[in-house]
Each structure stands twice: as structure tokens, then as C-alpha cells.
Amino acid sequence: MRRITIIGLGLIGGSIALSLKQAGLGDIELVGYTRSSETAIKALKRGAVDKIEDNLVSAVDKAEIVVLATPVMAMKEILEKMGPHLSHSCIVTDAASTKVKVMEWAEKYLPSGIKFIGGHPMAGKELSGIEAAEADLFKGCTYCIVQGEDTSSEEIKVITDLVKYLGANPFFITASEHDNFVAGISHLPLIISSSLVMSTTQSPYWQDMSVLAAGGYRDVTRLASQHPVMNRDICLTNQKNILKWIDEFTKELNRFRQLVIDGDQALDKAFIQAQQARHKWIEEHDKGD
Ligand code: NAD
């Protein structure tokens, strides 16, 4: 029987598994690798996979496609450990939020002949674990695909088809462009969200302030609830770009600080510009859906 293996059955790995199951895989066996017996029981109960393996080598044995869906830093060791045990025609992909480092590790640790094609679904939520997984998580989302070294059009098609099976829209991009862009639209918001939570909850008045905090505070702080290990790994593997975007944001924050001090018409203009820019993005984004 043909086999697809998913390494890491959390929010993303579990959702990929449920989504593939929902799409119908014919004679393909879906195997999940997890080190946790609790996750294994939950994944089987939800019908996310056909089989669970707690041994990495057995999990990837004879797999045609291996999908890595662990936190980013764990992927380095997994690539190194599983490399020698992959079948010669296996294609490996991942779902990590950063791409340059993962592509470098794949190049370094996978035996020559094994193809790696990077992936990143631009969908998710602040919850983690198999409990939060959903078959429809990727429906209509943009799914970044990063071509690996020496990958053929047939191999790219295998991963593109997989992405389409998930209901997502493939988007081809280089690893360095990807890491720069997501640092601005995803990793900077995470830092802003976390620092807003820290700056407010440490106030001596927080207990009373918290009673007043409602929708706006909840919206802007949502990302601070993401899994801390995932967040740490994102920062460790995209440091340069995140720092660049923090600097850009600090400049803008200081500009707004001055506008608030000045309190003249320029403040009005700044909010009008921001409102228009956001409306334009929402309009264009929704047109694409
Ligand atoms: P998660 O915490 O829900 O799941 C990660 C799973 O990996 C857990 O089951 C954990 O036990 C397992 N794991 C950790 N280390 C492991 C190891 N060494 N070997 C085997 N399993 C291991 O996290 P998630 O949200 O599913 O994120 C998975 C990946 O997807 C990350 O690389 C993340 O950057 C990326 N991603 C996340 C989102 C999101 O919104 N959460 C969106 C797009 C991409």
C-alpha cells in the first residue's frame, strides 16, 4: 500500500491529516508519527490517520511523501535522523512558518536524490494540539511552496496537488522572500501582540483595567496565545528579518508618538491613511477569495 507520513500531529499536522482523509485518499495509507500516546489516541479517535507510529524510522519506511509539522527547531534533528531511512523516491515537505533554515537543513541532512519542497500554509489559529485540528483549516488559504534544489516539475506537481487536496491555493516563492514577507505580516504582529500583553498586564492597575478590556484588546492580543515553543522557534530561525521589521515598526510607533504630542491635523491624516490602507488590503484580499 502507498503511504503518506505526517510527523507531528498538532494543529497543523492534525489538520493536514483530517483534510486529506476528508478529500479521500483511495489506496493511500496515512501514517502519523507522534511521541505522545495521548496524541496518538486522540488522532486515531478522530480518524485523522490510519496508523500511528512512535518510531521515526518505521514511520517513514516506504513513505512516498513525508510532511514535517513539528515546531521549526525540531525539524533539524528529524531531518538528520530520518534521512538515511527514506525510500529513494520519497518527497519531503514541511509546514514550518520559516523557510530559509529548514531548506538549509534539508539540503544538509537529506541524502542526495531525496527531494525537499518547502511549504507553509498561511492559515492557523492561536490554539495548538490535535484537539484544535480541523479538516477545513486550509480551505481557500494561500499555501507557500518553496522549490528545493534540483526538484523536477513532476515532483513540484506532487506537492502542488497535495496542497490543492487540502483546498488551499499554491503560491510559489523563494525561501528568502518568504521569510522577509512573513516577518512583516505574521512574526511582527506576534511580537506586537505579546509586548502589548506584557506592557498592560504588568501595570499596577491591571486588575481594574482588565475588566474594561474588550473586543479590541482581545483582537490585538490573540497571537500572544500561540504556543510559546512555536513562537520561540520562529524568532530563532528568522532573527534578521524580524529585527528589521521591529525597527521599521519602532520608527512608525515613534512617528505616531510625535503626532500624538503635536495633536494637530497631521494626526487626522495619519489615521485616515492607515484606515484607507487597511480597507484597500481587505477589499483586494476578499476579491481573491
Ligand atoms: P502544535 O504545537 O499544535 O503541534 C506540534 C506537534 O509537534 C505537537 O504534537 C508536538 O508534540 C509535536 N512535536 C514537537 N517536537 C517534536 C519532535 N521532536 N518529534 C515529533 N513530534 C514533535 O503546533 P502547530 O501549530 O501544529 O505548528 C506546527 C508547525 O506548523 C510549526 O512549524 C509552525 O511554525 C507551523 N505553522 C503553524 C501555524 C499556526 O497558526 N499554528 C500556521 C502555519 C504554520
Side-chain angles (χ1 to χ4, degrees):
M1 192 183 251
R2 299 166 65 203
R3 173 180 270 203
I4 295 178
T5 298
I6 299 175
I7 311 281
L9 290 174
L11 169 70
I12 298 297
S15 298
I16 292 174
L18 286 168
S19 182
L20 290 175
K21 276 279 174 200
Q22 183 172 270
L25 283 170
D27 66 341
I28 293 177
E29 181 187 40
L30 197 55
V31 175
Y33 167 71
T34 176
R35 303 170 303 178
S36 144
S37 51
E38 211 179 300
T39 303
I41 292 166
K42 286 179 185 164
L44 287 171
K45 220 173 185 174
R46 294 196 64 183
V49 288
D50 299 307
K51 190 177 175 183
I52 289 284
E53 289 282 0
D54 61 2
N55 177 298
L56 185 62
V57 174
S58 322
V60 300
D61 183 42
K62 298 191 182 70
E64 286 184 14
I65 300 175
V66 172
V67 183
L68 306 181
T70 64
V72 192
M73 290 303 286
M75 291 183 186
K76 184 179 177 186
E77 200 186 325
I78 291 169
L79 283 161
E80 192 175 7
K81 274 192 183 157
M82 74 177 189
H85 306 284
L86 297 169
S87 66
H88 71 281
S89 58
C90 179
I91 302 175
V92 182
T93 186
D94 74 312
S97 304
T98 58
K99 293 273 67 78
V100 171
K101 282 284 171 208
V102 182
M103 302 299 291
E104 278 174 17
W105 297 332
E107 180 62 19
K108 184 168 175 188
Y109 295 120
L110 293 181
S112 61
I114 303 286
K115 300 301 162 65
F116 185 88
I117 296 167
H120 179 201
M122 300 310 297
K125 49 185 171 177
E126 68 276 23
L127 305 172
S128 54
I130 185 76
E131 305 82 353
E134 283 175 40
D136 290 337
L137 188 67
F138 310 109
K139 278 238 152 76
C141 86
T142 298
Y143 199 118
C144 296
I145 297 181
V146 178
Q147 210 163 321
E149 293 277 319
D150 303 326
T151 38
S152 68
S153 51
E154 290 83 37
E155 288 148 356
I156 298 283
K157 188 175 177 312
V158 171
I159 299 303
T160 309
D161 286 348
L162 185 84
V163 166
K164 289 182 184 165
Y165 250 74
L166 302 176
N169 303 316
F171 183 83
F172 295 91
I173 188 164
T174 65
S176 57
E177 265 184 338
H178 169 276
D179 285 8
N180 179 20
F181 297 169
V182 295
I185 56 90
S186 178
H187 307 161
L188 177 64
L190 163 65
I191 303 278
I192 295 170
S193 181
S194 304
S195 45
L196 175 61
V197 170
M198 294 316 293
S199 62
T200 47
T201 57
Q202 288 181 105
S203 160
Y205 303 110
W206 173 245
Q207 212 170 354
D208 290 332
M209 277 165 71
S210 67
V211 180
L212 312 186
Y217 187 84
R218 189 177 276 262
D219 285 350
V220 186
T221 58
R222 183 176 67 81
L223 296 176
S225 291
Q226 284 188 168
H227 200 294
V229 172
M230 181 178 87
N231 295 343
R232 178 205 63 192
D233 286 5
I234 286 172
C235 292
L236 290 177
T237 54
N238 202 14
Q239 189 190 44
K240 211 172 100 227
N241 287 309
I242 293 174
L243 290 177
K244 190 195 79 180
W245 281 103
I246 289 177
D247 291 345
E248 286 297 320
F249 181 71
T250 307
K251 267 193 244 162
E252 194 54 30
L253 198 60
N254 279 326
R255 187 176 78 89
F256 265 90
R257 185 178 191 281
Q258 191 57 48
L259 289 168
V260 172
I261 292 172
D262 297 344
D264 57 21
Q265 274 191 341
L267 183 59
D268 244 9
K269 204 170 147 201
F271 281 123
I272 291 169
Q273 270 178 344
Q275 186 193 45
Q276 286 174 344
R278 186 169 190 276
H279 283 175
K280 190 162 180 268
W281 166 67
I282 297 271
E283 235 176 75
E284 279 163 9
H285 190 267
D286 291 355
K287 236 188 276 166
D289 284 348

Coordinates of all heavy atoms in Angstrom, one line a residue, residues 220-268:
V220 N -6.2 42.3 19.2 CA -4.8 42.6 19.0 C -3.9 41.7 19.8 O -2.7 41.5 19.5 CB -4.5 44.1 19.3 CG1 -3.1 44.5 19.0 CG2 -5.5 45.0 18.6
T221 N -4.4 41.1 20.9 CA -3.5 40.2 21.7 C -3.7 38.7 21.4 O -3.1 37.9 22.0 CB -3.8 40.4 23.2 OG1 -5.2 40.1 23.4 CG2 -3.5 41.8 23.6
R222 N -4.5 38.4 20.4 CA -4.8 37.0 20.1 C -3.6 36.2 19.9 O -3.4 35.1 20.4 CB -5.7 36.9 18.8 CG -6.2 35.5 18.5 CD -7.1 35.5 17.3 NE -6.5 35.9 16.1 CZ -5.8 35.1 15.3 NH1 -5.6 33.8 15.6 NH2 -5.3 35.5 14.1
L223 N -2.6 36.7 19.1 CA -1.4 35.9 18.8 C -0.5 35.6 19.9 O 0.3 34.7 19.9 CB -0.6 36.6 17.7 CG -1.3 36.8 16.3 CD1 -0.5 37.6 15.4 CD2 -1.7 35.5 15.7
A224 N -0.7 36.4 21.0 CA 0.2 36.1 22.2 C -0.2 34.7 22.8 O 0.5 34.2 23.6 CB 0.0 37.2 23.2
S225 N -1.4 34.2 22.4 CA -1.8 32.9 23.0 C -1.3 31.7 22.2 O -1.5 30.6 22.5 CB -3.4 32.8 22.9 OG -3.9 33.7 23.9
Q226 N -0.5 32.0 21.1 CA 0.1 30.9 20.3 C 1.1 30.1 21.2 O 1.6 30.6 22.2 CB 0.8 31.5 19.1 CG -0.1 31.9 18.0 CD 0.7 32.3 16.7 OE1 0.1 32.4 15.7 NE2 2.0 32.4 16.8
H227 N 1.4 28.9 20.7 CA 2.3 28.0 21.5 C 3.7 28.7 21.7 O 4.3 29.0 20.6 CB 2.4 26.7 20.8 CG 2.9 25.6 21.8 ND1 4.1 25.6 22.3 CD2 2.3 24.5 22.3 CE1 4.3 24.6 23.1 NE2 3.2 23.9 23.1
P228 N 4.2 28.8 22.9 CA 5.4 29.5 23.1 C 6.6 28.9 22.4 O 7.5 29.6 21.9 CB 5.7 29.5 24.6 CG 4.3 29.2 25.2 CD 3.5 28.5 24.2
V229 N 6.6 27.6 22.3 CA 7.8 26.9 21.6 C 7.8 27.2 20.1 O 8.8 27.5 19.5 CB 7.7 25.3 21.8 CG1 8.7 24.6 21.0 CG2 7.9 25.0 23.3
M230 N 6.6 27.3 19.5 CA 6.5 27.6 18.1 C 7.0 29.1 17.9 O 7.7 29.3 17.0 CB 5.0 27.5 17.6 CG 4.8 27.8 16.2 SD 3.2 27.6 15.6 CE 2.5 29.2 16.0
N231 N 6.5 30.0 18.8 CA 6.9 31.4 18.7 C 8.4 31.5 18.9 O 9.1 32.3 18.1 CB 6.2 32.2 19.8 CG 4.7 32.2 19.6 OD1 4.3 31.9 18.5 ND2 4.0 32.6 20.6
R232 N 9.0 30.8 19.8 CA 10.5 30.9 20.1 C 11.2 30.4 18.8 O 12.1 31.1 18.4 CB 10.8 30.0 21.3 CG 12.3 30.0 21.6 CD 12.7 28.7 22.3 NE 12.5 27.5 21.5 CZ 12.5 26.3 22.0 NH1 12.7 26.1 23.2 NH2 12.3 25.3 21.2
D233 N 10.8 29.3 18.3 CA 11.5 28.7 17.1 C 11.4 29.7 15.9 O 12.3 29.7 15.1 CB 10.9 27.4 16.8 CG 11.3 26.3 17.8 OD1 12.0 26.7 18.8 OD2 11.0 25.1 17.5
I234 N 10.2 30.3 15.7 CA 10.1 31.3 14.6 C 11.1 32.4 14.8 O 11.9 32.7 13.8 CB 8.6 31.9 14.6 CG1 7.7 30.8 14.1 CG2 8.6 33.2 13.8 CD1 6.2 31.2 14.2
C235 N 11.3 32.9 16.0 CA 12.3 34.0 16.2 C 13.7 33.5 16.0 O 14.5 34.2 15.5 CB 12.1 34.6 17.6 SG 10.6 35.5 17.8
L236 N 14.0 32.3 16.5 CA 15.3 31.8 16.3 C 15.7 31.5 14.9 O 16.9 31.5 14.5 CB 15.5 30.4 17.1 CG 15.4 30.5 18.6 CD1 15.5 29.1 19.3 CD2 16.6 31.4 19.2
T237 N 14.7 31.2 14.0 CA 15.1 30.9 12.6 C 14.7 32.0 11.7 O 14.9 31.8 10.5 CB 14.3 29.6 12.2 OG1 12.9 29.8 12.5 CG2 14.8 28.4 13.0
N238 N 14.3 33.2 12.2 CA 14.1 34.3 11.3 C 14.5 35.6 11.9 O 13.9 36.7 11.7 CB 12.6 34.4 10.8 CG 12.4 35.1 9.5 OD1 13.4 35.4 8.8 ND2 11.2 35.5 9.3
Q239 N 15.6 35.5 12.7 CA 16.0 36.7 13.5 C 16.3 38.0 12.8 O 15.7 39.0 13.1 CB 17.3 36.2 14.2 CG 17.8 37.2 15.3 CD 19.2 36.8 15.8 OE1 20.0 36.5 15.0 NE2 19.3 36.8 17.1
K240 N 17.0 37.9 11.6 CA 17.4 39.1 10.9 C 16.2 39.9 10.4 O 16.1 41.1 10.6 CB 18.3 38.7 9.8 CG 19.4 39.8 9.4 CD 20.4 39.3 8.4 CE 20.0 39.8 7.1 NZ 20.0 38.9 5.9
N241 N 15.3 39.1 9.8 CA 14.1 39.8 9.2 C 13.2 40.3 10.3 O 12.6 41.4 10.1 CB 13.3 38.8 8.4 CG 14.0 38.4 7.1 OD1 14.4 39.4 6.3 ND2 14.2 37.2 6.8
I242 N 13.0 39.6 11.4 CA 12.2 40.1 12.5 C 12.7 41.4 13.1 O 12.0 42.3 13.3 CB 11.9 39.0 13.5 CG1 11.2 37.8 12.9 CG2 11.2 39.5 14.8 CD1 11.0 36.6 13.8
L243 N 14.0 41.4 13.2 CA 14.7 42.6 13.8 C 14.5 43.8 12.9 O 14.2 44.9 13.3 CB 16.2 42.4 14.0 CG 16.5 41.4 15.2 CD1 18.0 41.2 15.3 CD2 15.9 42.0 16.5
K244 N 14.6 43.5 11.5 CA 14.4 44.6 10.6 C 13.0 45.2 10.7 O 12.8 46.4 10.7 CB 14.7 44.1 9.1 CG 14.7 45.1 8.1 CD 14.6 44.5 6.7 CE 13.2 44.2 6.4 NZ 12.9 43.6 5.1
W245 N 12.0 44.3 10.8 CA 10.6 44.7 10.9 C 10.3 45.4 12.2 O 9.5 46.3 12.3 CB 9.6 43.6 10.6 CG 9.5 43.3 9.1 CD1 10.1 42.3 8.3 CD2 8.8 44.2 8.1 NE1 9.8 42.5 7.0 CE2 9.0 43.6 6.9 CE3 8.1 45.3 8.3 CZ2 8.5 44.2 5.7 CZ3 7.5 45.9 7.1 CH2 7.7 45.3 5.9
I246 N 10.9 44.9 13.3 CA 10.7 45.6 14.6 C 11.3 47.0 14.5 O 10.6 48.0 15.0 CB 11.5 44.8 15.7 CG1 10.7 43.5 16.1 CG2 11.5 45.7 17.0 CD1 11.4 42.7 17.1
D247 N 12.4 47.2 13.8 CA 13.0 48.5 13.6 C 12.0 49.4 12.8 O 11.8 50.6 13.1 CB 14.4 48.5 13.0 CG 15.4 47.9 13.9 OD1 15.1 47.8 15.1 OD2 16.5 47.4 13.4
E248 N 11.5 48.9 11.7 CA 10.5 49.6 10.9 C 9.3 50.1 11.7 O 8.9 51.2 11.7 CB 10.0 48.8 9.7 CG 11.0 48.5 8.6 CD 11.4 49.8 7.9 OE1 10.5 50.6 7.7 OE2 12.6 49.9 7.6
F249 N 8.8 49.1 12.5 CA 7.7 49.4 13.4 C 8.0 50.4 14.4 O 7.1 51.3 14.7 CB 7.2 48.1 14.0 CG 5.9 48.2 14.8 CD1 4.7 48.5 14.3 CD2 6.0 48.2 16.2 CE1 3.6 48.7 15.0 CE2 4.9 48.4 17.0 CZ 3.7 48.6 16.4
T250 N 9.1 50.3 15.0 CA 9.5 51.3 16.1 C 9.6 52.7 15.5 O 9.1 53.6 16.1 CB 10.9 50.9 16.6 OG1 10.9 49.5 17.0 CG2 11.3 51.8 17.8
K251 N 10.0 52.8 14.2 CA 10.1 54.1 13.6 C 8.6 54.7 13.5 O 8.3 55.8 13.8 CB 10.6 54.0 12.2 CG 12.1 54.3 12.1 CD 12.6 54.4 10.6 CE 13.5 53.3 10.2 NZ 13.6 53.1 8.8
E252 N 7.7 53.8 13.0 CA 6.3 54.2 12.8 C 5.7 54.5 14.2 O 4.9 55.5 14.3 CB 5.6 53.0 12.1 CG 4.3 53.4 11.5 CD 4.3 54.6 10.6 OE1 5.3 54.9 9.9 OE2 3.2 55.3 10.5
L253 N 6.0 53.7 15.2 CA 5.4 54.0 16.5 C 5.9 55.3 17.0 O 5.1 56.1 17.6 CB 5.9 52.8 17.5 CG 5.1 52.6 18.7 CD1 3.7 52.3 18.5 CD2 5.7 51.5 19.5
N254 N 7.2 55.6 16.8 CA 7.7 56.9 17.2 C 7.1 58.1 16.5 O 6.9 59.2 17.0 CB 9.2 57.0 17.1 CG 9.9 56.3 18.3 OD1 9.4 56.3 19.4 ND2 11.0 55.6 18.1
R255 N 6.8 57.8 15.2 CA 6.1 58.9 14.4 C 4.8 59.1 15.0 O 4.4 60.3 15.1 CB 6.0 58.4 12.9 CG 5.5 59.5 11.9 CD 5.4 59.0 10.5 NE 4.3 58.1 10.2 CZ 3.1 58.5 9.8 NH1 2.9 59.8 9.6 NH2 2.2 57.6 9.6
F256 N 4.0 58.1 15.3 CA 2.7 58.3 15.9 C 2.8 59.0 17.3 O 2.0 59.8 17.7 CB 2.0 56.9 16.1 CG 1.0 56.7 14.9 CD1 1.5 56.0 13.8 CD2 -0.3 57.1 14.9 CE1 0.6 55.8 12.7 CE2 -1.1 56.9 13.8 CZ -0.7 56.3 12.7
R257 N 3.9 58.6 18.0 CA 4.1 59.3 19.3 C 4.2 60.8 19.1 O 3.6 61.5 19.9 CB 5.4 58.7 19.9 CG 5.7 59.2 21.3 CD 7.0 58.5 21.9 NE 7.1 58.8 23.3 CZ 7.5 59.9 23.8 NH1 7.9 60.9 23.0 NH2 7.5 60.1 25.1
Q258 N 5.0 61.2 18.1 CA 5.2 62.6 17.9 C 3.9 63.2 17.4 O 3.5 64.4 17.8 CB 6.3 62.8 16.8 CG 6.7 64.3 16.7 CD 7.2 64.9 18.0 OE1 8.0 64.3 18.7 NE2 6.7 66.1 18.4
L259 N 3.1 62.5 16.6 CA 1.8 63.0 16.1 C 0.9 63.3 17.3 O 0.1 64.2 17.3 CB 1.2 62.0 15.1 CG 1.9 61.9 13.8 CD1 1.3 60.7 13.0 CD2 1.6 63.2 12.9
V260 N 0.9 62.4 18.3 CA 0.0 62.5 19.4 C 0.5 63.7 20.2 O -0.4 64.5 20.7 CB 0.1 61.2 20.3 CG1 -0.7 61.4 21.6 CG2 -0.6 60.0 19.6
I261 N 1.8 63.9 20.4 CA 2.3 65.1 21.1 C 1.8 66.4 20.4 O 1.3 67.3 21.0 CB 3.8 65.1 21.2 CG1 4.3 63.9 22.1 CG2 4.4 66.4 21.6 CD1 5.8 63.7 22.1
D262 N 2.0 66.4 19.0 CA 1.7 67.6 18.3 C 0.2 67.9 18.3 O -0.3 69.0 18.3 CB 2.2 67.5 16.8 CG 3.7 67.4 16.8 OD1 4.3 67.7 17.8 OD2 4.2 67.0 15.7
G263 N -0.6 66.8 18.2 CA -2.1 66.9 18.3 C -2.7 67.8 17.2 O -3.7 68.4 17.5
D264 N -2.1 67.9 16.0 CA -2.7 68.8 15.0 C -3.3 67.9 13.9 O -3.5 66.7 14.1 CB -1.6 69.8 14.5 CG -0.4 69.0 13.9 OD1 -0.5 67.8 13.6 OD2 0.7 69.6 13.8
Q265 N -3.5 68.6 12.7 CA -4.2 67.9 11.6 C -3.5 66.7 11.1 O -4.1 65.8 10.5 CB -4.4 68.9 10.5 CG -5.7 69.7 10.7 CD -6.0 70.5 9.4 OE1 -5.1 70.7 8.6 NE2 -7.2 71.0 9.3
A266 N -2.2 66.7 11.3 CA -1.4 65.5 10.8 C -1.8 64.2 11.5 O -1.7 63.2 10.9 CB 0.1 65.8 11.1
L267 N -2.3 64.3 12.7 CA -2.8 63.1 13.4 C -4.0 62.5 12.6 O -4.1 61.3 12.4 CB -3.1 63.5 14.8 CG -3.6 62.4 15.8 CD1 -2.5 61.3 15.9 CD2 -3.9 62.9 17.1
D268 N -4.9 63.4 12.3 CA -6.1 63.0 11.5 C -5.7 62.3 10.2 O -6.2 61.2 9.9 CB -6.7 64.3 11.0 CG -8.1 64.5 11.6 OD1 -8.5 63.7 12.5 OD2 -8.8 65.5 11.2

